[in-house]
Amino acid sequence: MQIKEILQLKPENQTITAKGWVRTKRGQANIAFVNINDGSTIKNIQAVVDVNNIDEETLKKVTTGACIGVTGALTPSAGAGQDSEIVVESLIIYGVADETYPIQPKKHSLEFLREKAHLRFRTNTFGAVFRVRHALAFAVHKFYNEQGFFYLNTPIITASDAEGAGEMFRVSTFEANKAPKDENGNVDFTQDFFGRETSLTVSGQLEGELGAMALSKIYTFGPTFRAENSNTTRHLAEFWMIEPEMAFFELEDNMKLAEDFVKYVIGYALENCKDDLEFLQNRLLDEEKSKPQNERSELSLIDKLNFVINNDFEKLTYTEAVDILIKSKPAQKKQFQYEVSWGIDLQSEHERYLVEKHFKKPVILINYPKAIKAFYMKQNEDGKTVRAMDVLFPGIGEIIGGSQREDNYDKLMDRIHEVGIDPENLWWYLETRKFGSAPHSGFGLGFERLVQFVTGMGNIRDVIPFPRTPKNAEF
Ligand code: ATP
Ligand code: MN
C-alpha cells in the first residue's frame, strides 16, 4: 500500500506494511520515531520503533535517506499533525544511506538541489512540484478528451524549420569531424541518415494543422527544442508544449478555448493537489519574508490561482496595448529599457507592466503587426496586422502564443515569398490550402510555464525533472 492510502485508513491495530525513504529519525531512551515518505503524498507516516523489538545493528542503519520497509499495527497517534502511526514489529533495510547523503533534514537552496537533481525528488518541494506537474498533464488530456479533441503525435525529428520559431538542434549521424563534403566544400547532407538536413522540432504546429484538416480538432503534447542561448528563468532548451489545432475556429473561438483550457487545468490542480499547493504556498510565503514589502505579491498562491479561474481574462488589441504603454508612467519617466512605439515586438518589461500593474490579471493581446509574427498567421483586412493572440500571465509573461491561420492559398504564398521562405520545403503544408481548405486556428502553451505559474516556482529549471539549458545536460 502507498503511504497516501495508509494515511486514509481508520487505525484499528490492523497489520500494515509501509515502504519508503527515511526523512528523519528522532530517538528517546527506548523508542525511536522514524518518518517515512514514499512520494505518494507530501505527508510522511510515522513509524514507532521500540528498541527492545528491533536489534541495535538494524536500527543504526535507519538514517536519513535510507530506504526501509516497516510492518506493524496501525494505531491512532497521539502526536500532533497525524492521525495514525505504525507500531513496528519488523523492519527491513532495502538500502542504507550514510552521512554523506546530501539531502539532510534542513533547508537546502534550490541552486544546491539543482546540482543534486538525481536526489532532489526526495525533498518536500520537488515532490510537491512533480506531483502537481503530473496532475496538470493529466488534466490537459482530460480537458481535450472531454472537448472531443484527438491526441496527435507530431514528429520530433523534422526537416522543416516550423516558422523560424527558434534556433534548431541538428540531428545527424555524421561523425563530428568526418562529415562528407560536396564539390563546394559544404557538408553533403544527401549522404546523411535522412538524406537531407534534419533537426529537433521547435513546434508541432505545421503537422498539427494537417491533422486538423481531417480530424477537425487535435492537440499535440510533446517535447520541443530550441537552441536559443537565452539564460532566463523562463526558457529551456528542451521543454514540453501543448498545441491544439481546430478546423472551423476563428480567432474569437481560439481565445475562448485558450481561456477555458487554462482555467480548467488550474481548477483541476486546485481540487486534486490541495496538500501540495498548501505546502508550496507556505514555501512561497517564507521566501517572500526576505523580500522588501513592495516586491511581495498581494495574493497568496492559492488565492492567485482562484483569482485566475474566477475572473475573465482582459482582451485587447496590440494597438490598444501600445497606446496604454506609451501613456504609462514608466514610459513617461523613461523607465522602460526599450522604448515603445507601434510595430515593436513587446518586451517582457512591457508585457509585465500590462499584466501586473495595469490590468492586474491575465491578458490576451490580439492583432499584432504582421512584420513581427510568423508567415502562417491570417492577415486582417487592414493590411497591417495579423490575427495573432498571445496570452500573458503575471510573473510569467507569455504563456500561450497562437493565431488564426491563413487559409487562403494565394495570400499564404505571397507571405512566404515576402519573408523569403522556400515554398518547396513546405509543399505538403501548402497543399492543405489547395485541397479543401478551411478556416482554422490553434495555439501553443509552454507546459513548464504553466507548471511555474501553478506551483509559484520562480525558475523554470525547477519544474522539469532534468532541465536542459545552455552548458547544462548533466543528468
Ligand atoms: P518567448 O518570447 O517567451 O521566448 P516565443 O514567442 O518564442 O516565447 P512561441 O514560439 O510562441 O514562444 O512558443 C509558444 C509557447 O511556448 C510560449 O508561449 C511559451 O509558453 C513556450 N516557450 C517558448 N519558448 C520556450 C522556452 N525556450 N522554454 C520554455 N517554454 C517556452
Ligand atoms: Mn522564444
Side-chain angles (χ1 to χ4, degrees):
M1 241 186 247
Q2 290 188 301
I3 288 172
K4 182 181 176 176
E5 298 168 77
I6 296 174
L7 290 173
Q8 279 160 5
L9 297 175
K10 190 161 174 258
E12 296 172 316
N13 291 317
Q14 66 271 51
T15 301
I16 288 287
T17 297
K19 298 171 186 176
W21 292 266
V22 175
R23 286 293 175 81
T24 57
K25 181 170 81 171
R26 288 178 296 119
Q28 285 174 9
N30 298 318
I31 214 151
F33 298 97
V34 183
N35 273 311
I36 307 171
N37 186 281
D38 70 353
S40 59
T41 158
I42 193 146
K43 293 183 181 145
N44 303 326
I45 188 139
Q46 175 159 283
V48 184
V49 185
D50 184 334
V51 297
N52 300 313
N53 280 350
I54 306 295
D55 72 275
E56 214 183 311
E57 275 313 298
T58 308
L59 199 54
K60 257 195 211 155
K61 293 182 189 151
V62 178
T63 56
T64 297
C67 185
I68 68 171
V70 296
T71 300
L74 189 70
T75 59
S77 174
Q82 65 211 14
D83 297 332
S84 53
E85 60 193 18
I86 297 178
V87 178
V88 177
E89 283 145 29
S90 67
L91 189 157
I92 2 175
I93 310 279
Y94 291 111
V96 297
D98 67 13
E99 67 288 346
T100 62
Y101 177 63
I103 316 285
Q104 291 299 325
K106 59 163 194 164
K107 221 175 148 55
H108 295 290
S109 74
L110 297 172
E111 291 79 9
F112 171 82
L113 291 170
R114 248 169 253 151
E115 288 167 10
K116 309 280 178 233
H118 57 310
L119 296 170
R120 67 176 179 171
F121 300 105
R122 296 193 201 170
T123 63
N124 283 331
T125 300
F126 286 95
V129 165
F130 292 118
R131 280 186 296 271
V132 172
R133 183 181 166 110
H134 161 79
L136 288 169
F138 184 79
V140 167
H141 289 297
K142 192 161 158 15
F143 173 82
Y144 285 114
N145 187 55
E146 284 169 9
Q147 301 272 331
F149 282 65
F150 299 102
Y151 177 36
L152 193 78
N153 300 111
T154 49
I156 291 169
I157 299 174
T158 174
S160 78
D161 167 2
E163 45 182 282
E167 295 293 304
M168 302 179 87
F169 291 100
R170 178 166 295 132
V171 173
S172 170
T173 52
F174 286 158
E175 274 186 66
N177 283 321
K178 296 186 194 142
K181 304 269 167 68
D182 62 17
E183 57 267 33
N184 301 320
N186 297 319
V187 174
D188 182 10
F189 286 104
T190 62
Q191 294 184 51
D192 205 349
F193 189 92
F194 294 106
R196 59 194 303 167
E197 207 175 340
T198 49
S199 310
L200 295 177
T201 187
V202 292
S203 160
Q205 178 199 321
L206 300 188
E207 292 91 348
E209 284 187 48
L210 313 182
M213 288 297 103
L215 298 163
S216 290
K217 294 198 284 188
I218 66 94
Y219 70 106
T220 73
F221 187 174
T224 311
F225 307 85
R226 306 223 173 147
E228 52 195 5
N229 199 356
S230 24
N231 254 308
T232 77
T233 54
R234 294 171 299 107
H235 288 91
L236 291 163
E238 177 180 304
F239 64 99
W240 288 66
M241 186 141 67
I242 297 134
E243 296 179 277
E245 254 336 292
M246 300 75 65
F248 319 116
F249 271 51
E250 313 241 334
L251 188 62
E252 291 67 29
D253 311 306
N254 205 21
M255 288 199 277
K256 180 169 186 315
L257 182 79
E259 182 167 347
D260 290 348
F261 168 47
V262 177
K263 286 180 171 175
Y264 179 96
V265 295
I266 293 175
Y268 184 88
L270 278 167
E271 258 175 52
N272 292 277
C273 305
K274 248 176 160 295
D275 294 344
D276 288 322
L277 290 176
E278 271 166 21
F279 173 83
L280 291 164
Q281 163 161 291
N282 290 332
R283 193 198 144 265
L284 219 54
L285 286 174
D286 241 27
E287 197 180 85
E288 297 227 322
K289 282 190 196 138
S290 61
K291 287 189 190 164
Q293 197 78 38
N294 62 349
E295 280 174 33
R296 296 185 195 169
S297 46
E298 289 162 30
L299 294 178
S300 69
L301 179 64
I302 292 171
D303 286 348
K304 183 185 77 174
L305 299 177
N306 275 311
F307 178 85
V308 166
I309 63 175
N310 292 323
N311 287 283
D312 289 340
F313 293 4
E314 192 70 37
K315 299 166 192 84
L316 67 159
T317 64
Y318 168 93
T319 304
E320 288 163 341
V322 165
D323 276 344
I324 291 172
L325 286 167
I326 289 176
K327 292 187 191 123
S328 72
K329 252 199 207 143
Q332 305 283 320
K333 291 188 177 168
K334 304 224 176 297
Q335 284 163 342
F336 285 137
Q337 200 186 335
Y338 297 88
E339 205 176 318
V340 185
S341 61
W342 198 95
I344 65 155
D345 205 355
L346 297 181
Q347 298 294 322
S348 130
E349 56 178 349
H350 307 134
E351 297 178 344
R352 293 190 70 156
Y353 174 83
L354 290 170
V355 174
E356 289 161 28
K357 295 270 161 16
H358 192 83
F359 291 113
K360 295 183 189 289
K361 52 153 87 166
V363 170
I364 308 185
L365 287 187
I366 59 167
N367 295 342
Y368 282 72
K370 69 174 178 185
I372 57 170
K373 288 291 182 188
F375 74 92
Y376 51 69
M377 296 191 180
K378 188 170 178 66
Q379 297 174 50
N380 277 315
E381 250 112 68
D382 63 12
K384 295 192 302 192
T385 60
V386 287
R387 311 206 83 200
M389 91 182 180
D390 278 6
V391 181
L392 313 177
F393 259 47
I396 304 287
E398 184 190 324
I399 194 162
I400 287 179
S403 70
Q404 184 168 346
R405 317 306 189 190
E406 183 57 79
D407 50 85
N408 179 290
Y409 182 84
D410 296 325
K411 286 189 182 156
L412 188 57
M413 266 311 228
D414 285 350
R415 206 53 202 132
I416 282 183
H417 288 302
E418 252 173 56
V419 299
I421 295 172
D422 183 359
E424 281 292 296
N425 290 336
L426 288 175
W427 66 270
W428 43 271
Y429 181 74
L430 291 163
E431 281 204 351
T432 54
R433 273 63 169 175
K434 251 189 346 209
F435 305 126
S437 189
H440 65 289
S441 300
F443 60 81
L445 172 130
F447 186 54
E448 283 75 19
R449 293 196 187 169
L450 173 71
V451 182
Q452 264 191 290
F453 183 74
V454 174
T455 59
M457 298 300 282
N459 194 315
I460 200 165
R461 292 165 178 81
D462 296 329
V463 298
I464 188 164
F466 302 103
R468 296 287 176 261
T469 50
K471 302 278 179 282
N472 171 32
E474 173 92 8
F475 299 95

